[in-house]
Each structure stands twice: as C-alpha cells, then as structure tokens.
C-alpha cells in the first residue's frame, strides 16, 4: 500500500474564519461526511501529517498515519530517517490555514539556537528543531514579512511622532543619520545598518506597556483623523492600523508590525518563505502552509501569550529586504509531463520540504508524475479529478488528502475544470 487517503484533523483557534467561509471547514467537511460545520465557530488550521497533536488517520483502516509508518518505515525511506531522525515522523508538517484575525508577530530560532532554548526553557520551547515555514496563498492574503527597507523606517521615525516618542531622539537620529541605503549585504556598512535597526527594535520592545498604550491611542487617532503622513509611507497603512487595533487594542504590534515590518500581499498561487530569525505574521486570507516539524515560536506582538523579548531582540537577523525579495520564486517540475496549465515547485532553501502545485484547467486534462524518492502528502484545493497509481484509480474531490509513498509514479486526471492540487514532499 503506497497510496492511501487520509482524514486530517483541524483546530478551532479564535483567529480562524467562521463556519463555511473557512477553507479549513470546507475541506474537512468534504473529506469526512461526519464533520458538521458549526457556522458560529472559527475553523483555523487543517493539519496533514504525523504530528501527534492533531494526527492524520488512514481512511480505510482508521489507524493514525504515525502507526502505519511505524509499522512500515519504508514509507518514509531510510535516507529520510537518517537525515531527520525518528522513524514515525515526516520531516514536514503540511497545513491549510484560514485567517480572519492576525496571528502573533513572531520569529523562529535556527537549529543551534533551538537546542539552547529547549535546554534552558522546555516549557516554552518544546523541541530542539528549527521551524522554517512557507505560505502559499489560496485566496488573497496579507501578512507581515521581514523589516521594511531602511529609508522607509527613517521616514517613519521622522514623520510619525508617536513612534519617535517611544524610540527617543538619540536612537532615532543615530538611525536616520547612520544608515547606508546603498550597503551591499555582508559589508561593514550592512552590519552597521543591522546594529542600528536592532537598536530601534530593541528600544521599542523594551518600552513599558503604559507608554506603548499611550502612544498607541495617539497613533490610532492619527490614523482615523489625519492619516496623510501614515499613508505617505504606505497608502494602506492608516487603514491597517485602525483594523488591527480593533483586534488587539493599543498593542505593541501596531508599532513593531504595522510601522516596522513589510506589509506583504499575495494573490492566489503566490508564496513567501519565512526564514529562521526573521519576524513575520499572518493577517488575513486562506493559505497552504508547510513547515519543519517544530513548535518553537518567539513572539513579539498581537498576542496574550508569552513574549520572550530578550531572546527575540538578540536572535533576529535584522534583514531589511523589500517585499518582492520576500516572495518565493517557482521552478518547473522536471518529473512532470502532460496537459497541466501550471505545474511548478516552490523549493525553499532548506532540506525538509518542497511543495508542488498542479493546475488542470479543463475536464479530461491529464498530468503524469515520475516517482519521487521520498514521502508525499497531496491535497486537492479546487475542482475534482482522479489520482491513478499502482493500477488503481482514487477519487480526488476538493478537500481530499492522500499519502503517496516513495518511488510511486502517478497520474492526475481532471473531472472538473480548475482541478488544483498541492503536494508536499521530503
């Protein structure tokens, strides 16, 4: 058995979309007819994989995917087990997220820092792995991703008095007069830029809550009554501040998120990769997400949860690339052939995973895939079709999820227009 359908669990976090407006709810109900969508509840995350918190279950026998892999480790393969450890875990966790309310502004440690954090504070850092993530938009999506370019931050310090009041004249002037916007990456000027950016961010994050609340009230009032200076920096900024303040009133995230981080918008099919030690947050939309198997999060704002400010300020890379550099390029899939209108790979610069997107526009269109070396999980997000492998045909409706074992060739055939799948693989 190298191909089998799995039923995947979901989470009802309060930031999820309500009822059937959520892609998570629609996919879960389509996959399992016993899932009754409660229109008053938020449906936030669909988990596809071996993570024990929300285990995927094999439809035919009711066993968890972990149990099936434990009984037959060849479904993961020896090279994957040797490289990533364990014999029941996939090296990635695949998800669908439906976001109605901003998630916390956060960053994730790299492997070396994760080992230290886990050893020193296992309660807040439950494992010693890194957690690189990739988000692919299913619908229009908004997020924060990395620090804004330095000239934008300098303008913000010059023109937004509430931000300037928190940072202080000394640090603000050192930043404005000390940055080199023409620095090449890795140069001494670039290193100095990052130190100056760290000084600004560190001062913000160590400011007492009462001061943040006072200045946040003024910032929101400015956004509502006199938005011109804010919108001169970014035409979306005033509206964003007002909207997120309704979700998290007078929160430090209005400054560290709205004023300091890139506000990234993705159209369906576009993606961004979230590197270790770079701050980010999801704001709205439906996405496919793939990540390394870890729960390590260092939070900065828009959250009532634990914020580890000292580690956060120390760990960040303080990269300041523009938005376009945050987006993930695609490459053609060299193992595919056929009639797909789109068959591309999002291949981030890490080993644990890549994601393959396939779109078949017309009924009857077919795409063939040669065997991959490692394990895969594939979900249909639009339309319907069949998956053909090992001489078998498997129905593939929207929301259905399949596990595909290593060294398994297969075909996708569209029975409806716009048949779209995403496949995560090691």
């Amino acid at each position: 058995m190298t191909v089998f359908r799995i039923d995947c669990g979901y989470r009802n976090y309060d930031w999820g979309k309500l009822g059937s407006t959520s892609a998570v709810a629609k996919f879960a109900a389509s996959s399992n007819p016993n899932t009754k969508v409660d229109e008053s509840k938020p449906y936030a995350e669909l988990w596809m994989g071996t993570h024990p918190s929300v285990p995927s279950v094999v439809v035919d026998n009711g066993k968890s995917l972990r149990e099936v892999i434990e009984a037959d480790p060849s479904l993961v393969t020896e090279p994957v087990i040797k490289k990533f450890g364990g014999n029941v875990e996939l090296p990635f966790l695949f998800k669908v997220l439906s976001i109605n309310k901003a998630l916390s502004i956060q960053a994730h440690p790299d492997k070396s820092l994760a080992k230290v954090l886990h050893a020193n504070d296992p309660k807040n850092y439950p494992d010693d792995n890194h957690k690189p993530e990739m988000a692919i938009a299913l619908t229009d999506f908004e997020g924060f991703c990395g620090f804004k370019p330095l000239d934008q931050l300098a303008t913000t310090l010059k023109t937004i008095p509430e931000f300037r009041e928190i940072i202080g004249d000394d640090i603000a002037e050192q930043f404005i007069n000390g940055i080199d916007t023409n620095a090449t990456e890795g140069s001494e000027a670039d290193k100095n830029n990052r130190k100056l950016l760290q000084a600004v961010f560190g001062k913000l994050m160590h400011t007492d809550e009462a001061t943040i609340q006072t200045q946040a009230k003024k910032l929101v009032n400015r956004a509502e009554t006199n938005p011109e200076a804010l919108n001169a920096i970014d035409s979306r900024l005033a509206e964003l501040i007002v909207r997120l303040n309704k979700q998290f009133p007078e929160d430090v995230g209005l400054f560290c998120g709205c004023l300091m981080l890139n506000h990234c918008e993705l159209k369906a099919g576009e993606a961004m990769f979230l590197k270790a030690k770079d701050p980010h947050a999801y704001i709205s939309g439906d996405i496919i997400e793939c990540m390394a198997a870890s729960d390590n999060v260092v939070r900065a704002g828009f959250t009532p949860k634990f914020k580890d400010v000292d580690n956060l300020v120390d760990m960040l890379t303080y990269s300041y690339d523009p938005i376009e550099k945050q987006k993930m390029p695609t490459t053609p899939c060299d193992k595919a052939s056929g009639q797909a209108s789109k068959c591309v790979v999002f291949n981030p610069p890490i080993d644990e995973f890549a994601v393959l997107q396939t779109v078949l526009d017309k009924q009857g269109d077919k795409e063939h895939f040669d065997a991959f070396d490692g394990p895969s999980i594939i979900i249909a997000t639009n339309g319907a079709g069949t998956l053909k492998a090992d001489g078998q045909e498997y129905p593939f409706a929207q929301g259905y999820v399949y596990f595909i074992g290593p060294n398994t060739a297969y075909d996708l055939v569209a029975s409806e227009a716009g048949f779209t799948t995403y496949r995560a693989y090691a």
Side-chain angles (χ1 to χ4, degrees):
M1 183 172 68
T2 59
V3 176
F4 48 87
R5 192 154 76 88
I6 56 177
D7 187 44
C8 303
Y10 55 87
R11 294 285 208 183
N12 298 98
Y13 301 134
D14 67 354
W15 49 260
K17 290 187 176 182
L18 290 177
S20 53
T21 66
S22 165
V24 168
K26 285 189 288 188
F27 295 169
S30 173
S31 175
N32 186 341
N34 293 322
T35 299
K36 305 301 180 187
V37 177
D38 185 336
E39 297 297 339
S40 67
K41 282 188 176 180
Y43 291 78
E45 295 189 352
L46 185 78
W47 290 35
M48 301 172 279
T50 53
H51 199 289
S53 295
V54 188
S56 297
V57 175
V58 178
V59 171
D60 286 345
N61 59 26
K63 294 181 179 180
S64 74
L65 183 56
R66 287 174 68 88
E67 290 177 296
V68 172
I69 289 174
E70 187 172 26
D72 184 4
S74 69
L75 291 172
V76 175
T77 74
E78 188 174 339
V80 171
I81 292 170
K82 282 185 176 179
K83 186 171 184 64
F84 300 108
N87 63 356
V88 297
E89 290 279 8
L90 296 175
F92 60 83
L93 178 58
F94 204 26
K95 293 184 179 181
V96 177
L97 273 62
S98 292
I99 305 146
N100 187 51
K101 179 180 178 181
L103 280 67
S104 59
I105 299 169
Q106 58 190 254
H108 306 296
D110 60 15
K111 285 187 176 181
S112 59
L113 179 58
K115 292 184 189 307
V116 174
L117 294 176
H118 176 62
N120 293 338
D121 187 0
K123 177 184 175 183
N124 287 302
Y125 302 103
D127 59 74
D128 62 0
N129 198 15
H130 67 163
K131 193 184 178 185
E133 299 173 331
M134 182 167 62
I136 307 170
L138 295 176
T139 61
D140 288 349
F141 165 82
E142 291 178 276
F144 291 128
C145 187
F147 287 102
K148 292 179 179 179
L150 300 178
D151 55 346
Q152 290 186 31
L153 292 171
T155 299
T156 304
L157 282 166
K158 291 176 185 176
T159 59
I160 308 304
E162 297 80 14
F163 189 38
R164 176 79 170 224
E165 185 70 24
I166 293 171
I167 303 305
D169 288 339
D170 287 348
I171 294 176
E173 287 302 315
Q174 288 171 20
F175 181 88
I176 292 166
N177 297 320
I179 57 173
D180 180 352
T181 57
N182 295 313
T184 56
E185 187 172 353
S187 67
E188 288 303 313
D190 174 57
K191 293 175 184 177
N192 185 60
N193 285 343
R194 293 174 192 245
K195 288 180 181 177
L196 292 168
L197 179 53
Q198 183 177 22
V200 172
F201 186 74
K203 180 62 168 65
L204 169 64
M205 295 308 300
H206 283 104
T207 298
D208 65 274
E209 189 172 348
T211 300
I212 293 294
Q213 289 177 344
T214 297
Q215 297 304 326
K217 286 179 183 177
K218 295 178 182 178
L219 180 67
V220 174
N221 182 65
R222 178 180 302 279
E224 291 174 333
T225 63
N226 189 26
E228 288 79 9
L230 291 163
N231 288 341
I233 299 167
D234 184 324
S235 61
R236 307 163 297 175
L237 186 53
E239 184 276 332
L240 182 67
I241 288 170
V242 172
R243 174 160 41 110
L244 294 186
N245 184 66
K246 291 176 181 176
Q247 298 178 11
F248 297 93
E250 300 160 16
D251 190 271
V252 68
L254 299 175
F255 295 97
C256 69
C258 298
L259 296 190
M260 294 199 70
L261 301 185
N262 284 312
H263 180 198
C264 182
E265 294 181 322
L266 302 179
K267 297 296 184 185
E270 293 184 322
M272 64 181 186
F273 177 62
L274 309 168
K275 295 180 290 187
K277 298 184 174 183
D278 275 358
H280 60 271
Y282 301 149
I283 299 172
S284 67
D286 298 283
I287 63 170
I288 289 284
E289 184 184 52
C290 201
M291 65 186 70
S294 170
D295 278 335
N296 286 322
V297 178
V298 188
R299 295 178 180 86
F302 294 147
T303 179
K305 296 181 181 178
F306 171 67
K307 292 196 280 275
D308 189 349
V309 171
D310 290 339
N311 272 317
L312 180 73
V313 171
D314 287 344
M315 70 181 264
L316 298 182
T317 65
Y318 294 98
S319 172
Y320 45 88
D321 288 330
I323 288 173
E324 288 308 312
K325 285 197 173 182
Q326 308 286 343
K327 293 182 179 180
M328 273 289 298
T330 59
T331 56
C333 179
D334 59 6
K335 289 181 176 290
S337 57
Q339 299 162 303
S341 60
K342 191 175 184 183
C343 189
V344 296
V345 175
F346 298 92
N347 190 14
I350 47 106
D351 294 330
E352 283 85 347
F353 62 83
V355 175
L356 168 63
Q357 180 200 40
T358 305
V359 181
L360 295 166
D361 277 342
K362 299 190 298 295
Q363 182 179 359
D365 282 357
K366 176 181 174 181
E367 190 78 0
H368 173 76
F369 297 87
D370 294 335
F372 283 37
D373 294 334
S376 304
I377 289 179
I378 185 170
I379 181 172
T381 59
N382 191 61
T386 56
L387 189 160
K388 298 181 178 182
D390 298 332
Q392 302 288 319
E393 282 195 22
Y394 303 91
F396 211 172
Q398 183 189 55
Y400 280 30
V401 183
Y402 283 90
F403 178 89
I404 301 176
N407 306 310
T408 303
Y410 69 97
D411 296 321
L412 292 176
V413 183
S415 58
E416 292 181 7
F419 180 39
T420 303
T421 63
Y422 290 89
R423 177 187 183 185
Y425 60 94

